[in-house]
Amino acid sequence: MRMLVWVLLILLPLTSSVHASQSEPKQVVMLLWRGVTDAERGFMEYLSSKVDVKYTLLDAKRDKATLSQYVENIEQYNADLIYTFGTTTTLTLLGTEDKPSNFRTNSSTPVVFSIVTDPVGSKIVSSTTESKRNFTGVSHIVPHQVQFNAIQKLPNVETMGIVFNPLENNAVITARKIQMLSAKFGMDVYLYPLRTKDSKPDLSSLSSVIDTMLEDKVQLAYLPPDSYIISQGKGIVDSLHKHGIATFSATESPIRKHNALFGIVSRYYNVGEFAGHKAEQILTQKRAPQEVAIEPLSQYSYIVNIGAARTLDYYPPVSILKISELIGGNEWQE
């Protein structure tokens, strides 16, 4: 009996230690490009409802030097998982398949990315079914063909122009892919990169871009998934609309916050939730990232800004209005 008591006394501290270990929160480092967006809110709210998590937020504030410094020191956080926002951040951390980063080659820390436009086009992976990888994630862009189908329904749109930051990889990829599809849909598509200055986009070049668009008889400006265009959306959209050029956005924010006219989008919050679900599978179900699919959302949202439609005196057809969320003019819906 005395020996049994001694055994129990020895085991009790070990048992307490195991329980303490199990209750420790998971450490998630979030590598951000332009602060906390709805994608991060969706990610954190979903994951925190499933797992005890402690978050460390590293915001590069759209500065590549700051981002590179964060990546260089990221292992010091001893993260259980790293979240990355956007193509630029994800590429900086992981590199490409043919030019992998030191982190990608040597780290065992799993990564979940979110708001990456085209993981294959940006060469993060050669295909979304690539098996040898320590990361997974969610793409947020509605297929370009789906976007074109909707744009074709807009009245009097024969020529479209894409305004983008030429320094942003995902924006360049999108612009080229849209232009390649233009012949199939019988539409003229021109590319209008902003001028750059000191290795940064120069917004003062927008006025000359718009002058060229007017010369080219552009009726619709396409706003790609471009962090710079999104961040400067108010000035860009206002300038385009002032000159009678309607706007179609591939992302949600320019429509909701900056009065772009129309778009078909994957909502950032939902993308973040989906990324959170993938993180949950890795952290709690012990699934390897290569077993968790890289994929987009399967449902999209049509959004029409009625306030912008009034400003332009240009309305999408009823077939689009019927399936869209109408914002910016609630009294119009009554």
Side-chain angles (χ1 to χ4, degrees):
M1 181 69 178
R2 188 175 297 170
M3 183 174 289
L4 178 60
V5 170
W6 276 106
V7 169
L8 287 172
L9 287 173
I10 291 169
L11 287 177
L12 275 172
L14 290 173
T15 306
S16 300
S17 173
V18 169
H19 285 312
S21 168
Q22 288 176 343
S23 64
E24 289 179 3
K26 298 294 185 181
Q27 305 292 321
V28 174
V29 170
M30 303 186 71
L31 195 55
L32 311 181
W33 178 243
R34 51 183 172 93
V36 174
T37 71
D38 281 347
E40 286 71 56
R41 293 183 189 93
F43 178 85
M44 289 189 285
E45 289 178 16
Y46 177 90
L47 190 59
S48 295
S49 72
K50 305 293 182 180
V51 186
D52 186 12
V53 188
K54 180 180 178 182
Y55 299 101
T56 300
L57 274 59
L58 305 177
D59 181 11
K61 298 180 180 178
R62 297 198 297 271
D63 183 79
K64 288 188 176 181
T66 301
L67 177 60
S68 296
Q69 189 172 15
Y70 283 148
V71 168
E72 185 177 341
N73 298 315
I74 204 158
E75 294 286 17
Q76 74 182 26
Y77 295 97
N78 297 315
D80 294 296
L81 183 139
I82 297 170
Y83 165 100
T84 62
F85 169 92
T87 304
T88 298
T89 302
T90 305
L91 280 171
T92 303
L93 180 66
L94 298 175
T96 59
E97 189 184 36
D98 56 340
K99 292 182 180 178
S101 66
N102 181 63
F103 175 91
R104 181 171 179 153
T105 303
N106 298 308
S107 179
S108 60
T109 306
V111 175
V112 174
F113 63 72
S114 154
I115 313 295
V116 169
T117 302
D118 188 346
V120 176
S122 57
K123 299 182 180 179
I124 294 170
V125 286
S126 60
S127 74
T128 53
T129 57
E130 176 67 43
S131 58
K132 295 180 181 179
R133 53 179 168 83
N134 196 33
F135 58 89
T136 187
V138 184
S139 173
H140 69 302
I141 293 303
V142 175
H144 298 136
Q145 184 153 333
V146 174
Q147 296 181 44
F148 248 124
N149 285 335
I151 289 168
Q152 271 199 319
K153 294 178 182 178
L154 296 175
N156 305 316
V157 174
E158 298 175 354
T159 304
M160 183 168 70
I162 304 177
V163 182
F164 65 100
N165 170 15
L167 301 177
E168 212 160 306
N169 179 269
N170 53 299
V172 174
I173 290 170
T174 298
R176 288 174 178 167
K177 286 194 170 183
I178 292 288
Q179 192 174 48
M180 286 174 63
L181 274 174
S182 61
K184 178 179 178 181
F185 287 88
M187 185 178 295
D188 291 328
V189 174
Y190 299 120
L191 306 187
Y192 299 96
L194 294 175
R195 189 171 57 233
T196 60
K197 184 178 181 181
D198 299 326
S199 299
K200 293 181 179 179
D202 181 9
L203 192 60
S204 68
S205 65
L206 179 63
S207 59
S208 61
V209 163
I210 291 177
D211 287 343
T212 306
M213 294 175 80
L214 293 171
E215 290 174 10
D216 294 336
K217 302 188 186 311
V218 169
Q219 295 108 358
L220 181 72
Y222 180 98
L223 307 178
D226 179 324
S227 288
Y228 182 79
I229 298 296
I230 292 169
S231 69
Q232 301 297 325
K234 175 66 174 169
I236 292 171
V237 170
D238 283 353
S239 296
L240 289 163
H241 287 185
K242 181 180 177 181
H243 289 86
I245 301 174
T247 46
F248 178 97
S249 179
T251 56
E252 182 178 10
S253 179
I255 312 169
R256 293 193 182 280
K257 296 181 179 179
H258 307 311
N259 295 324
L261 174 64
F262 174 46
I264 310 170
V265 303
S266 295
R267 291 180 175 167
Y268 269 36
Y269 189 89
N270 295 346
V271 173
E273 285 185 311
F274 198 21
H277 173 62
K278 293 181 183 298
E280 176 197 6
Q281 291 177 289
I282 294 167
L283 292 173
T284 67
Q285 300 174 22
K286 305 302 181 185
R287 293 188 64 185
Q290 66 187 36
E291 298 172 356
V292 181
I294 295 172
E295 56 192 329
L297 294 184
S298 59
Q299 294 184 327
Y300 319 123
S301 299
Y302 287 67
I303 308 176
V304 174
N305 190 306
I306 294 300
R310 283 175 168 161
T311 297
L312 291 160
D313 193 23
Y314 179 88
Y315 294 87
V318 173
S319 60
I320 286 179
L321 293 175
K322 284 196 302 185
I323 60 174
S324 297
E325 177 188 356
L326 306 181
I327 65 171
N330 291 332
E331 72 283 359
W332 182 86
Q333 301 171 53
E334 294 175 356

PDB file of all heavy atoms in Angstrom, residues 10 13 60 90 112 120 124 130 143 148 154 161 194 199 208-209 218 220 240 246 255 273 305 315:
ATOM      1  N   ILE A  10       4.404  10.285  -7.445  1.00  0.00           N
ATOM      2  CA  ILE A  10       5.336  10.511  -8.549  1.00  0.00           C
ATOM      3  C   ILE A  10       4.584  10.846  -9.827  1.00  0.00           C
ATOM      4  O   ILE A  10       4.963  11.730 -10.590  1.00  0.00           O
ATOM      5  CB  ILE A  10       6.218   9.266  -8.774  1.00  0.00           C
ATOM      6  CG1 ILE A  10       7.168   9.106  -7.582  1.00  0.00           C
ATOM      7  CG2 ILE A  10       7.014   9.373 -10.074  1.00  0.00           C
ATOM      8  CD1 ILE A  10       7.893   7.770  -7.552  1.00  0.00           C
ATOM      9  N   PRO A  13       2.548  14.868 -10.490  1.00  0.00           N
ATOM     10  CA  PRO A  13       3.180  16.015 -11.149  1.00  0.00           C
ATOM     11  C   PRO A  13       3.280  15.845 -12.652  1.00  0.00           C
ATOM     12  O   PRO A  13       3.113  16.788 -13.414  1.00  0.00           O
ATOM     13  CB  PRO A  13       4.568  16.082 -10.501  1.00  0.00           C
ATOM     14  CG  PRO A  13       4.415  15.375  -9.199  1.00  0.00           C
ATOM     15  CD  PRO A  13       3.405  14.297  -9.441  1.00  0.00           C
ATOM     16  N   ALA A  60       3.416  44.731 -42.224  1.00  0.00           N
ATOM     17  CA  ALA A  60       4.470  45.367 -43.017  1.00  0.00           C
ATOM     18  C   ALA A  60       4.096  46.768 -43.481  1.00  0.00           C
ATOM     19  O   ALA A  60       4.961  47.522 -43.945  1.00  0.00           O
ATOM     20  CB  ALA A  60       4.799  44.496 -44.230  1.00  0.00           C
ATOM     21  N   THR A  90       2.969  36.278 -49.234  1.00  0.00           N
ATOM     22  CA  THR A  90       3.156  34.824 -49.350  1.00  0.00           C
ATOM     23  C   THR A  90       4.406  34.499 -50.161  1.00  0.00           C
ATOM     24  O   THR A  90       5.182  33.607 -49.798  1.00  0.00           O
ATOM     25  CB  THR A  90       1.907  34.178 -49.974  1.00  0.00           C
ATOM     26  OG1 THR A  90       0.750  34.538 -49.200  1.00  0.00           O
ATOM     27  CG2 THR A  90       2.025  32.667 -50.014  1.00  0.00           C
ATOM     28  N   VAL A 112      -0.624  28.885 -43.726  1.00  0.00           N
ATOM     29  CA  VAL A 112      -1.917  29.005 -44.402  1.00  0.00           C
ATOM     30  C   VAL A 112      -2.000  30.409 -44.992  1.00  0.00           C
ATOM     31  O   VAL A 112      -1.911  31.391 -44.256  1.00  0.00           O
ATOM     32  CB  VAL A 112      -3.099  28.767 -43.448  1.00  0.00           C
ATOM     33  CG1 VAL A 112      -4.424  29.047 -44.161  1.00  0.00           C
ATOM     34  CG2 VAL A 112      -3.088  27.342 -42.916  1.00  0.00           C
ATOM     35  N   VAL A 120      -1.110  29.448 -58.720  1.00  0.00           N
ATOM     36  CA  VAL A 120      -0.378  28.809 -59.813  1.00  0.00           C
ATOM     37  C   VAL A 120       0.280  29.868 -60.696  1.00  0.00           C
ATOM     38  O   VAL A 120       1.466  29.781 -61.029  1.00  0.00           O
ATOM     39  CB  VAL A 120      -1.302  27.898 -60.641  1.00  0.00           C
ATOM     40  CG1 VAL A 120      -0.555  27.319 -61.851  1.00  0.00           C
ATOM     41  CG2 VAL A 120      -1.847  26.763 -59.774  1.00  0.00           C
ATOM     42  N   ILE A 124       3.620  30.137 -56.844  1.00  0.00           N
ATOM     43  CA  ILE A 124       3.750  29.622 -55.479  1.00  0.00           C
ATOM     44  C   ILE A 124       3.706  28.101 -55.515  1.00  0.00           C
ATOM     45  O   ILE A 124       4.424  27.419 -54.788  1.00  0.00           O
ATOM     46  CB  ILE A 124       2.633  30.190 -54.584  1.00  0.00           C
ATOM     47  CG1 ILE A 124       2.811  31.710 -54.437  1.00  0.00           C
ATOM     48  CG2 ILE A 124       2.631  29.525 -53.217  1.00  0.00           C
ATOM     49  CD1 ILE A 124       1.641  32.408 -53.785  1.00  0.00           C
ATOM     50  N   GLU A 130      -0.447  20.125 -55.911  1.00  0.00           N
ATOM     51  CA  GLU A 130       0.946  19.844 -55.593  1.00  0.00           C
ATOM     52  C   GLU A 130       1.045  19.228 -54.200  1.00  0.00           C
ATOM     53  O   GLU A 130       0.513  19.757 -53.224  1.00  0.00           O
ATOM     54  CB  GLU A 130       1.759  21.147 -55.638  1.00  0.00           C
ATOM     55  CG  GLU A 130       3.196  21.006 -55.232  1.00  0.00           C
ATOM     56  CD  GLU A 130       4.003  20.177 -56.217  1.00  0.00           C
ATOM     57  OE1 GLU A 130       3.850  20.360 -57.430  1.00  0.00           O
ATOM     58  OE2 GLU A 130       4.768  19.321 -55.735  1.00  0.00           O
ATOM     59  N   PRO A 143     -13.524  33.242 -60.917  1.00  0.00           N
ATOM     60  CA  PRO A 143     -12.953  32.923 -62.232  1.00  0.00           C
ATOM     61  C   PRO A 143     -13.197  34.035 -63.251  1.00  0.00           C
ATOM     62  O   PRO A 143     -14.294  34.605 -63.321  1.00  0.00           O
ATOM     63  CB  PRO A 143     -13.690  31.632 -62.616  1.00  0.00           C
ATOM     64  CG  PRO A 143     -14.017  30.991 -61.302  1.00  0.00           C
ATOM     65  CD  PRO A 143     -14.314  32.130 -60.371  1.00  0.00           C
ATOM     66  N   PHE A 148     -16.249  37.950 -66.880  1.00  0.00           N
ATOM     67  CA  PHE A 148     -16.501  38.404 -68.248  1.00  0.00           C
ATOM     68  C   PHE A 148     -17.960  38.196 -68.647  1.00  0.00           C
ATOM     69  O   PHE A 148     -18.565  39.036 -69.329  1.00  0.00           O
ATOM     70  CB  PHE A 148     -15.591  37.672 -69.229  1.00  0.00           C
ATOM     71  CG  PHE A 148     -14.552  38.560 -69.860  1.00  0.00           C
ATOM     72  CD1 PHE A 148     -13.210  38.249 -69.765  1.00  0.00           C
ATOM     73  CD2 PHE A 148     -14.908  39.691 -70.569  1.00  0.00           C
ATOM     74  CE1 PHE A 148     -12.246  39.052 -70.349  1.00  0.00           C
ATOM     75  CE2 PHE A 148     -13.957  40.504 -71.162  1.00  0.00           C
ATOM     76  CZ  PHE A 148     -12.616  40.189 -71.048  1.00  0.00           C
ATOM     77  N   LEU A 154     -23.501  44.131 -69.348  1.00  0.00           N
ATOM     78  CA  LEU A 154     -23.629  45.571 -69.131  1.00  0.00           C
ATOM     79  C   LEU A 154     -23.890  46.261 -70.463  1.00  0.00           C
ATOM     80  O   LEU A 154     -23.262  45.949 -71.474  1.00  0.00           O
ATOM     81  CB  LEU A 154     -22.352  46.128 -68.506  1.00  0.00           C
ATOM     82  CG  LEU A 154     -22.002  45.608 -67.105  1.00  0.00           C
ATOM     83  CD1 LEU A 154     -20.650  46.141 -66.666  1.00  0.00           C
ATOM     84  CD2 LEU A 154     -23.083  46.014 -66.097  1.00  0.00           C
ATOM     85  N   GLY A 161     -10.764  48.957 -69.905  1.00  0.00           N
ATOM     86  CA  GLY A 161      -9.379  49.261 -69.550  1.00  0.00           C
ATOM     87  C   GLY A 161      -9.061  48.757 -68.152  1.00  0.00           C
ATOM     88  O   GLY A 161      -9.895  48.857 -67.249  1.00  0.00           O
ATOM     89  N   LEU A 194      -0.049  52.158 -63.902  1.00  0.00           N
ATOM     90  CA  LEU A 194       0.360  53.452 -63.365  1.00  0.00           C
ATOM     91  C   LEU A 194       1.870  53.614 -63.538  1.00  0.00           C
ATOM     92  O   LEU A 194       2.614  52.631 -63.515  1.00  0.00           O
ATOM     93  CB  LEU A 194       0.003  53.546 -61.882  1.00  0.00           C
ATOM     94  CG  LEU A 194      -1.488  53.561 -61.521  1.00  0.00           C
ATOM     95  CD1 LEU A 194      -1.652  53.542 -60.013  1.00  0.00           C
ATOM     96  CD2 LEU A 194      -2.199  54.775 -62.120  1.00  0.00           C
ATOM     97  N   SER A 199      10.640  53.280 -57.272  1.00  0.00           N
ATOM     98  CA  SER A 199      10.195  51.899 -57.019  1.00  0.00           C
ATOM     99  C   SER A 199       8.845  51.825 -56.318  1.00  0.00           C
ATOM    100  O   SER A 199       8.544  50.856 -55.605  1.00  0.00           O
ATOM    101  CB  SER A 199      11.245  51.136 -56.198  1.00  0.00           C
ATOM    102  OG  SER A 199      12.462  51.075 -56.896  1.00  0.00           O
ATOM    103  N   SER A 208      -3.072  61.241 -66.528  1.00  0.00           N
ATOM    104  CA  SER A 208      -2.661  60.944 -67.905  1.00  0.00           C
ATOM    105  C   SER A 208      -3.192  59.582 -68.345  1.00  0.00           C
ATOM    106  O   SER A 208      -3.514  59.376 -69.524  1.00  0.00           O
ATOM    107  CB  SER A 208      -1.135  60.990 -68.040  1.00  0.00           C
ATOM    108  OG  SER A 208      -0.513  60.035 -67.213  1.00  0.00           O
ATOM    109  N   VAL A 209      -3.303  58.635 -67.396  1.00  0.00           N
ATOM    110  CA  VAL A 209      -3.900  57.326 -67.699  1.00  0.00           C
ATOM    111  C   VAL A 209      -5.347  57.513 -68.140  1.00  0.00           C
ATOM    112  O   VAL A 209      -5.799  56.934 -69.139  1.00  0.00           O
ATOM    113  CB  VAL A 209      -3.820  56.386 -66.473  1.00  0.00           C
ATOM    114  CG1 VAL A 209      -4.784  55.205 -66.622  1.00  0.00           C
ATOM    115  CG2 VAL A 209      -2.403  55.874 -66.273  1.00  0.00           C
ATOM    116  N   VAL A 218     -12.623  54.053 -73.805  1.00  0.00           N
ATOM    117  CA  VAL A 218     -12.903  53.043 -72.785  1.00  0.00           C
ATOM    118  C   VAL A 218     -14.193  53.399 -72.055  1.00  0.00           C
ATOM    119  O   VAL A 218     -14.361  54.529 -71.583  1.00  0.00           O
ATOM    120  CB  VAL A 218     -11.727  52.958 -71.775  1.00  0.00           C
ATOM    121  CG1 VAL A 218     -12.111  52.123 -70.564  1.00  0.00           C
ATOM    122  CG2 VAL A 218     -10.497  52.378 -72.463  1.00  0.00           C
ATOM    123  N   LEU A 220     -15.498  51.142 -69.590  1.00  0.00           N
ATOM    124  CA  LEU A 220     -15.494  50.475 -68.277  1.00  0.00           C
ATOM    125  C   LEU A 220     -14.057  50.256 -67.824  1.00  0.00           C
ATOM    126  O   LEU A 220     -13.225  49.735 -68.581  1.00  0.00           O
ATOM    127  CB  LEU A 220     -16.218  49.129 -68.369  1.00  0.00           C
ATOM    128  CG  LEU A 220     -16.316  48.315 -67.072  1.00  0.00           C
ATOM    129  CD1 LEU A 220     -17.313  48.963 -66.108  1.00  0.00           C
ATOM    130  CD2 LEU A 220     -16.735  46.873 -67.354  1.00  0.00           C
ATOM    131  N   LEU A 240     -12.294  58.328 -62.144  1.00  0.00           N
ATOM    132  CA  LEU A 240     -12.852  57.602 -63.284  1.00  0.00           C
ATOM    133  C   LEU A 240     -14.316  57.976 -63.507  1.00  0.00           C
ATOM    134  O   LEU A 240     -14.740  58.264 -64.628  1.00  0.00           O
ATOM    135  CB  LEU A 240     -12.701  56.093 -63.070  1.00  0.00           C
ATOM    136  CG  LEU A 240     -11.276  55.542 -63.184  1.00  0.00           C
ATOM    137  CD1 LEU A 240     -11.181  54.160 -62.555  1.00  0.00           C
ATOM    138  CD2 LEU A 240     -10.833  55.487 -64.647  1.00  0.00           C
ATOM    139  N   ALA A 246     -17.303  53.992 -66.098  1.00  0.00           N
ATOM    140  CA  ALA A 246     -17.840  53.118 -65.054  1.00  0.00           C
ATOM    141  C   ALA A 246     -16.744  52.183 -64.540  1.00  0.00           C
ATOM    142  O   ALA A 246     -15.703  52.003 -65.182  1.00  0.00           O
ATOM    143  CB  ALA A 246     -19.018  52.321 -65.596  1.00  0.00           C
ATOM    144  N   ILE A 255     -15.970  48.501 -53.971  1.00  0.00           N
ATOM    145  CA  ILE A 255     -17.414  48.691 -54.172  1.00  0.00           C
ATOM    146  C   ILE A 255     -18.054  49.219 -52.893  1.00  0.00           C
ATOM    147  O   ILE A 255     -18.819  50.180 -52.913  1.00  0.00           O
ATOM    148  CB  ILE A 255     -18.095  47.375 -54.597  1.00  0.00           C
ATOM    149  CG1 ILE A 255     -17.323  46.702 -55.727  1.00  0.00           C
ATOM    150  CG2 ILE A 255     -19.544  47.641 -55.038  1.00  0.00           C
ATOM    151  CD1 ILE A 255     -17.775  45.292 -56.022  1.00  0.00           C
ATOM    152  N   GLU A 273     -12.516  33.069 -43.037  1.00  0.00           N
ATOM    153  CA  GLU A 273     -13.108  31.935 -42.317  1.00  0.00           C
ATOM    154  C   GLU A 273     -12.647  30.607 -42.914  1.00  0.00           C
ATOM    155  O   GLU A 273     -12.332  29.655 -42.181  1.00  0.00           O
ATOM    156  CB  GLU A 273     -14.630  32.011 -42.392  1.00  0.00           C
ATOM    157  CG  GLU A 273     -15.267  33.055 -41.506  1.00  0.00           C
ATOM    158  CD  GLU A 273     -16.778  32.979 -41.547  1.00  0.00           C
ATOM    159  OE1 GLU A 273     -17.336  32.932 -42.665  1.00  0.00           O
ATOM    160  OE2 GLU A 273     -17.405  32.963 -40.473  1.00  0.00           O
ATOM    161  N   ASN A 305     -23.386  48.999 -56.592  1.00  0.00           N
ATOM    162  CA  ASN A 305     -23.482  50.224 -55.802  1.00  0.00           C
ATOM    163  C   ASN A 305     -24.430  51.191 -56.510  1.00  0.00           C
ATOM    164  O   ASN A 305     -24.094  51.783 -57.540  1.00  0.00           O
ATOM    165  CB  ASN A 305     -22.091  50.851 -55.635  1.00  0.00           C
ATOM    166  CG  ASN A 305     -22.086  51.987 -54.633  1.00  0.00           C
ATOM    167  OD1 ASN A 305     -22.863  52.920 -54.747  1.00  0.00           O
ATOM    168  ND2 ASN A 305     -21.199  51.896 -53.661  1.00  0.00           N
ATOM    169  N   TYR A 315     -26.995  52.130 -65.268  1.00  0.00           N
ATOM    170  CA  TYR A 315     -27.473  51.050 -64.410  1.00  0.00           C
ATOM    171  C   TYR A 315     -27.266  49.686 -65.073  1.00  0.00           C
ATOM    172  O   TYR A 315     -27.551  49.512 -66.263  1.00  0.00           O
ATOM    173  CB  TYR A 315     -28.966  51.229 -64.102  1.00  0.00           C
ATOM    174  CG  TYR A 315     -29.251  52.455 -63.264  1.00  0.00           C
ATOM    175  CD1 TYR A 315     -29.443  53.695 -63.872  1.00  0.00           C
ATOM    176  CD2 TYR A 315     -29.310  52.371 -61.887  1.00  0.00           C
ATOM    177  CE1 TYR A 315     -29.682  54.830 -63.106  1.00  0.00           C
ATOM    178  CE2 TYR A 315     -29.561  53.502 -61.107  1.00  0.00           C
ATOM    179  CZ  TYR A 315     -29.735  54.724 -61.718  1.00  0.00           C
ATOM    180  OH  TYR A 315     -29.973  55.842 -60.962  1.00  0.00           O
TER     181      TYR A 315
END
